[in-house]
Amino acid sequence: MSRLTRYVVALLIVGGVLLPLAPLLIWSFADRWFFPALLPAEWTLDTWRYVVSPASRIGEALFTSTGIALAVVVLCVALGLPAARTLALHSFRAKGLVEWLLMAPILVPGLVVVMGLHIGLIRIGLADTAPGVVLVHLAPALPYFILVMTGVFANYSTELEETARTLGASPWRTFMDVTLPAIFPGLIVAAMFTFLVSWTQYIATVLVGGGRIVTLPMVLFPLIGASNHAAAAAVSIVFVAPALLILALTTRSVHRDVPSLGGMGRL
């Protein structure tokens, strides 16, 4: 593919992502905007003044959403990497059952899963707490992480790991110097998916958080329901900004060359 073609494709992708955000950006500065006018009749900064004010609780919700999503990513990496490696590289009895159980939170309606987990969290005292919200977000996020990483490990060869251990490398050194560079692009993709899964959770946060844990979806959805178009548009921009930032920061890592291990020259 020529450089010009790559630039054209990149521009089309960026345009396809950013173009739907243009009406939101206009709405966030609009005071009055009625059909069929192409642009608002009056412009204002009042909406953005509200967004950055403490009364909106958007700064608090942004901080909370980010912290919860990052915690979910860390737990997914800690729990999902060993599970994905085992499923991809080893055969054992009841493997199919284990795979089905891991995917069950995706297959079963989310509300059912959340309500079941909520009862358990109440009994152990984690309802209406941030750790409880993190755990309930883990239910839909972990299967996606394992699914992506299983595909990564399916194309992974352990020969260089065995060579490193033969030469005296510790398990930690082997992981850091051999395994991690090979799976890093796939790990970034899996982490991005799990971050966004947690970032967009609403029902789970409402039920388990009990209204005490306020995330961005909990601020955004009532504004949409109240037909507050300007405020909803501004909060929507804040809501999607981290996703676009993550996409921009991880694109280079995802497409970079990695050491070739069993055919994994590029993800």
Side-chain angles (χ1 to χ4, degrees), residues 38-52:
L38 294 178
L39 293 174
E42 297 181 12
W43 301 80
T44 181
L45 292 174
D46 290 345
T47 301
W48 285 104
R49 293 192 186 100
Y50 168 76
V51 168
V52 300

Side-chain angles (χ1 to χ4, degrees), residues 158-183:
T158 61
E159 293 179 358
L160 286 184
E161 286 186 3
E162 296 169 359
T163 302
R165 288 194 293 267
T166 301
L167 295 175
S170 65
W172 176 252
R173 185 67 181 272
T174 300
F175 174 79
M176 294 300 297
D177 293 345
V178 178
T179 309
L180 185 59
I183 66 172

Side-chain angles (χ1 to χ4, degrees), residues 46-180:
D46 290 345
T47 301
W48 285 104
R49 293 192 186 100
Y50 168 76
V51 168
V52 300
S53 68
S56 68
R57 302 190 69 182
I58 292 173
E60 173 193 346
L62 179 63
F63 179 81
T64 302
S65 292
T66 303
I68 289 174
L70 289 177
V72 170
V73 170
V74 171
L75 288 175
C76 281
V77 172
L79 300 174
L81 273 182
R85 181 185 174 98
T86 300
L87 290 173
L89 300 180
H90 301 281
S91 297
F92 52 90
R93 296 181 62 182
K95 179 178 178 180
L97 177 61
V98 172
E99 292 175 336
W100 186 87
L101 290 175
L102 286 173
M103 295 301 110
I106 299 177
L107 302 176
V108 176
L111 184 59
V112 176
V113 176
V114 171
M115 292 182 65
L117 291 175
H118 190 203
I119 295 173
L121 292 172
I122 291 174
R123 292 181 176 178
I124 63 177
L126 288 180
D128 301 341
T129 66
V133 174
V134 170
L135 290 178
V136 80
H137 285 196
L138 195 64
L142 185 59
Y144 283 107
F145 183 91
I146 294 176
L147 186 64
V148 174
M149 292 309 301
T150 299
V152 173
F153 279 115
N155 296 318
Y156 177 80
S157 173
T158 61
E159 293 179 358
L160 286 184
E161 286 186 3
E162 296 169 359
T163 302
R165 288 194 293 267
T166 301
L167 295 175
S170 65
W172 176 252
R173 185 67 181 272
T174 300
F175 174 79
M176 294 300 297
D177 293 345
V178 178
T179 309
L180 185 59

Side-chain angles (χ1 to χ4, degrees), residues 176-211:
M176 294 300 297
D177 293 345
V178 178
T179 309
L180 185 59
I183 66 172
F184 186 74
L187 182 62
I188 290 296
V189 173
M192 182 178 67
F193 270 118
T194 54
F195 184 95
L196 295 179
V197 168
S198 173
W199 186 262
T200 56
Q201 293 297 312
Y202 174 70
I203 297 297
T205 306
V206 170
L207 290 179
V208 176

